[in-house]
Amino acid sequence: MKLSLVRPTFTLEKEFLAIIKDFRINGEQDIEGLYTHCGENFHEYVLQTQLIEAGKTFANMIVPYSTYWSILDQERIIGFSHIRHYLTPALCIEGGHIGYSICPSERQKGYGKQQLQLILNECCKLGINEVLITCDFDNVASYKIIEANGGVKKGEAISPKSKKVVFHYQVHL
Ligand SMILES: CC(C)(COP(=O)(O)OP(=O)(O)OC[C@H]1O[C@@H](n2cnc3c(N)ncnc32)[C@H](O)[C@@H]1OP(=O)(O)O)[C@@H](O)C(=O)NCCC(=O)NCCS
């Protein structure tokens, strides 16, 4: 099974709706928050990913970011990732450069590790060579993925939102 990244595209609406359904039936309602923000209008969502990447962000979205869908065997979308183009003081505490998820039905099959590897390649292309990834202290799957991709724990902070400890990892590319 080959995992690759695709950019949001109007042609994959059926596949996009299938992954959203996968998250939701497993109780993860708002994993791709921009879609909700766009009133669940797929066309508007795809358009907004392009505008946000170009720096024409919504007021409450802090920095420009690029969105990627992870697609299995050119058929099914199974994950979402985002690369933030730069950090703010708030993102240095929680958020970092990268956010990612694999849909519940495809977890624990190694795709999370593969997906982060692909995303780190994209960071390189964007000229981000010192990557900050943050993760909740109790998100075992996430920090295993980060460590498997060369992440080194550099520190931790308290999340202003959840008040939980957040680990800070650096990946040098
Ligand atoms: C984090 C996430 C992307 C992991 O995806 P995944 O495809 O299951 O990851 P992998 O299959 O590559 O597993 C990586 C490792 O974590 C382990 N793992 C996966 N899920 C686990 C769980 N729920 N509990 C404990 N370990 C887990 C795997 O066994 C594997 O361990 P190994 O290195 O010893 O073999 C996925 O759980 C997810 O989308 N979570 C919700 C969103 C999220 O938390 N994103 C990260 C924010 S920082």
Side-chain angles (χ1 to χ4, degrees):
M1 298 272 207
K2 186 169 166 8
L3 197 67
S4 51
L5 299 179
V6 293
R7 311 311 308 281
T9 164
F10 297 112
T11 58
L12 293 177
E13 181 170 11
K14 185 168 60 71
E15 293 78 3
F16 177 84
L17 295 179
I19 181 177
I20 291 290
K21 187 172 175 195
D22 190 313
F23 279 110
R24 290 187 175 170
I25 59 175
N26 286 285
E28 297 179 33
Q29 300 303 328
D30 200 20
I31 201 83
E32 185 63 348
L34 181 62
Y35 178 59
T36 314
H37 191 93
C38 292
E40 306 200 357
N41 179 323
F42 176 73
H43 190 276
E44 179 64 18
Y45 160 78
V46 172
L47 205 59
Q48 287 300 332
T49 62
Q50 295 165 355
L51 292 174
I52 287 167
E53 181 169 41
K56 296 167 187 164
T57 55
F58 287 125
N60 64 342
M61 288 183 179
I62 312 166
V63 299
Y65 64 84
S66 302
T67 299
Y68 304 83
W69 297 342
S70 296
I71 190 159
L72 199 56
D73 287 338
Q74 304 292 329
E75 277 176 5
R76 275 185 306 128
I77 303 170
I78 64 156
F80 295 126
S81 306
H82 305 98
I83 302 176
R84 299 180 185 95
H85 295 181
Y86 56 85
L87 297 176
T88 60
L91 288 170
C92 288
I93 295 172
E94 186 174 26
H97 285 104
I98 304 177
Y100 47 78
S101 58
I102 294 287
C103 63
S105 68
E106 296 293 345
R107 287 181 189 163
Q108 304 209 43
K109 298 179 183 176
Y111 296 132
K113 278 185 200 171
Q114 283 183 49
Q115 177 177 254
L116 182 55
Q117 190 178 16
L118 295 169
I119 283 295
L120 289 170
N121 292 341
E122 297 301 316
C123 284
C124 260
K125 291 181 198 165
L126 290 170
I128 305 169
N129 298 313
E130 295 296 335
V131 183
L132 173 70
I133 310 178
T134 74
C135 120
D136 287 354
F137 79 99
D138 56 356
N139 195 340
V140 180
S142 188
Y143 67 67
K144 278 189 162 181
I145 285 173
I146 300 167
E147 288 173 0
N149 278 284
V152 176
K153 190 164 172 270
K154 290 287 183 183
E156 52 189 55
I158 302 292
S159 161
K161 288 184 219 148
S162 67
K163 310 296 176 204
K164 279 173 46 169
V165 173
V166 177
F167 289 163
H168 290 176
Y169 283 91
Q170 189 173 26
V171 185
H172 175 72
L173 297 173

